[in-house]
Amino acid sequence: MDTWAYTDTVPGIDLRATAGDLMRITLDNQLPADTTIHWHGIALPNAVDGVPGMTQEPVRSGEKFLYEFLVPDPGTYFFHPHVGVQLDRGLYAPLIVEDPAEPGGYDSEWIVVLDDWLDGTGRTPDEVYRQLTASPSADPSGMDHTTMGAAPFGDAGDVAYPHYLINGAIPASPVAFRGKKGERVRIRMINAASDTIFAVAIGGHTMTITHTDGFGVEPRQSAGIYIGMGERYDAIVTLGDGVFPLVAKPWGKEGQAMALIRTGSGTVPAPDVQLAEFDRPILQGTDLRPTEASRLSEQQPDASATLELGGQMNPYVWTINGSPFGQNSPIEVVEGQRFQLDVVNATMMTHPLHLHGHTFALPNGLRKDTVLVPPMGTTALQLQASNPGVWAVHCHNIYHAEAGMMIALNYRQN
Ligand code: C2O
Ligand code: CU
């Protein structure tokens, strides 16, 4: 298959650092198109945030760009281009920042990257985007929008994908993780998909969620967890004896992604294995509570702004505060402010809202950089304005972001 990748694997090879390290990464653009790299979730200096037209010029085909920054916080992150719908090609890879004070409590570690895949199967992501935006009457998404309103996430997405992947593999030839019975594994889960929320569970196991978007949570046991585009969850799992499926089910869509966990002998599950775990309650990230250490100190906001998420399939335009990006007015903050973003979702779809360069706190104190805002739902996000620059705030459905669901957060001098 011919696709775009970092080096030559999908996902790209993971980058690892320890919190406090200086990273120097040269992007050598051998793609036939402009690109950039965005270091998703990292509170880095604005100039290396990788947003063309906002923080840098696009890196032209055949050119190089040096990204150099300190990684301040430990956690599970990833990186991807911030140009068009390039994320929906194979351009993504994990970025793991180790905690020098990691208390451990686990024996080994796996990375699970989820994706929805169509490149090389008849149309490219760019062609899908053109079809979504070009047809004035027919809905080219291939999606059945009659699930609209179903709890908890409403309308399932804009694109029907032929494949769902874990670490680049389809369920018919799954990736296999190996371990020992009784071993405690930290699983770092990253949803790199462009248009798909997944529910993740492991046959015959429960998981204990310990972190989201890099920050610690009060450990919470569950049969499974929902994970939106751009979100990350870390879980600890104690392995049983045998061969087990790790399944990611796309919300409201057909098919699934699967990987194998092997600790002993056993039969390999079928690619379409139906896990009983999905009949049990699946945890939503917003139900997690922060650890004391990851809480943002309680404080009255100095200023606030409303972010109204709007749009529809036809015509295919997605907006923040009534207009697509470029036509909406930037949100202005002043360094040192505690700032509140009042997010209002005025659509029948869930949107994973992502903030660059900062993390925010949900009303219950949970720290995240990407949050699922349910259909017609509202949420109040607080951030500490401590990282000057011009930052993107956008939906991590990459087709929505490209169609305008983005706004700038600007620091102004006071
Ligand atoms: Cu992972 Cu602006 O995005
Ligand atoms: Cu969206």
Side-chain angles (χ1 to χ4, degrees):
M1 183 172 47
D2 196 15
T3 192
W4 294 3
Y6 289 134
T7 312
D8 56 6
T9 63
V10 177
I13 295 162
D14 42 293
L15 293 181
R16 280 191 177 257
T18 299
D21 280 358
L22 179 68
M23 302 204 71
R24 303 184 86 225
I25 302 137
T26 302
L27 164 62
D28 178 358
N29 183 10
Q30 297 179 12
L31 301 173
D34 293 356
T35 195
T36 61
I37 296 178
H38 170 61
W39 312 92
H40 179 113
I42 306 275
L44 41 57
N46 196 238
V48 285
D49 193 44
V51 183
M54 246 167 132
T55 69
Q56 69 169 98
E57 288 299 310
V59 181
R60 310 286 175 203
S61 181
E63 293 188 347
K64 293 184 182 173
F65 189 89
L66 174 67
Y67 291 94
E68 189 173 41
F69 52 93
L70 286 172
V71 280
D73 303 306
T76 302
Y77 303 92
F78 73 121
F79 58 95
H80 61 77
H82 224 282
V83 172
V85 292
Q86 288 180 3
L87 172 60
D88 212 9
R89 307 250 182 180
L91 293 167
Y92 55 82
L95 170 54
I96 307 301
V97 185
E98 317 267 8
D99 188 347
E102 174 60 52
Y106 53 91
D107 308 308
S108 52
E109 187 182 304
W110 301 337
I111 302 174
V112 166
V113 188
L114 312 176
D115 192 17
D116 46 14
W117 189 270
L118 51 73
D119 202 21
T121 63
R123 43 183 198 161
T124 66
D126 292 288
E127 283 159 4
V128 169
Y129 184 71
R130 272 197 295 279
Q131 289 165 359
L132 285 168
T133 49
S135 78
S137 51
D139 176 353
S141 66
M143 288 298 302
D144 168 12
H145 292 280
T146 56
T147 58
M148 211 173 261
F153 299 125
D155 194 2
D158 298 353
V159 182
Y161 286 82
H163 301 294
Y164 297 96
L165 313 182
I166 292 178
N167 293 1
I170 57 172
S173 56
V175 163
F177 295 99
R178 284 167 205 279
K180 290 193 193 64
K181 172 179 180 283
E183 191 179 353
R184 286 162 59 83
V185 181
R186 177 179 188 166
I187 306 182
R188 297 178 182 265
M189 296 176 275
I190 301 167
N191 185 352
S194 288
D195 181 65
T196 306
I197 298 168
F198 288 95
V200 181
I202 301 171
H205 292 71
T206 55
M207 43 177 93
T208 302
I209 307 295
T210 59
H211 297 77
T212 183
D213 297 358
F215 284 84
V217 301
E218 282 179 7
R220 181 82 186 261
Q221 276 209 7
S222 179
I225 177 95
Y226 286 111
I227 171 166
M229 300 84 93
E231 284 191 296
R232 291 89 64 212
Y233 290 93
D234 295 15
I236 302 269
V237 174
T238 303
L239 301 180
D241 185 13
V243 180
F244 305 95
L246 186 161
V247 171
K249 259 170 92 92
W251 162 259
K253 299 179 178 184
E254 297 292 318
Q256 61 187 19
M258 184 181 78
L260 298 180
I261 297 175
R262 277 180 186 279
T263 64
S265 55
T267 35
V268 172
D272 61 351
V273 59
Q274 298 297 309
L275 293 196
E277 280 71 19
F278 291 120
D279 300 330
R280 295 169 48 197
I282 301 298
L283 194 64
Q284 291 189 57
T286 46
D287 291 334
L288 293 165
R289 312 202 132 265
T291 56
E292 275 318 305
S294 62
R295 226 171 239 288
L296 198 62
S297 67
E298 223 152 298
Q299 199 176 311
Q300 282 306 312
D302 301 302
S304 68
T306 299
L307 281 189
E308 187 183 286
L309 312 178
Q312 70 285 310
M313 292 301 292
N314 204 348
Y316 196 79
V317 180
W318 297 93
T319 61
I320 295 186
N321 292 346
S323 307
F325 179 65
Q327 294 166 45
N328 48 21
S329 324
I331 295 163
E332 298 212 315
V333 299
V334 175
E335 188 173 6
Q337 279 180 335
R338 175 63 62 88
F339 197 82
Q340 182 164 313
L341 291 171
D342 292 302
V343 184
V344 179
N345 181 355
T347 75
M348 294 310 292
M349 239 176 129
T350 294
H351 302 279
L353 191 71
H354 174 53
L355 167 65
H356 286 209
H358 305 71
T359 58
F360 45 69
L362 272 52
N364 71 358
L366 185 70
R367 294 291 289 282
K368 287 182 71 56
D369 56 61
T370 309
V371 64
L372 288 174
V373 188
M376 306 310 282
T378 62
T379 186
L381 308 175
Q382 283 202 7
L383 65 101
Q384 193 59 41
S386 58
N387 196 4
V390 182
W391 301 101
V393 185
H394 64 89
C395 177
H396 221 278
N397 178 311
I398 235 59
Y399 293 90
H400 290 186
E402 184 60 10
M405 196 174 257
M406 171 155 138
I407 198 165
L409 179 91
N410 286 0
Y411 279 65
R412 76 182 145 77
Q413 302 299 327
N414 204 22

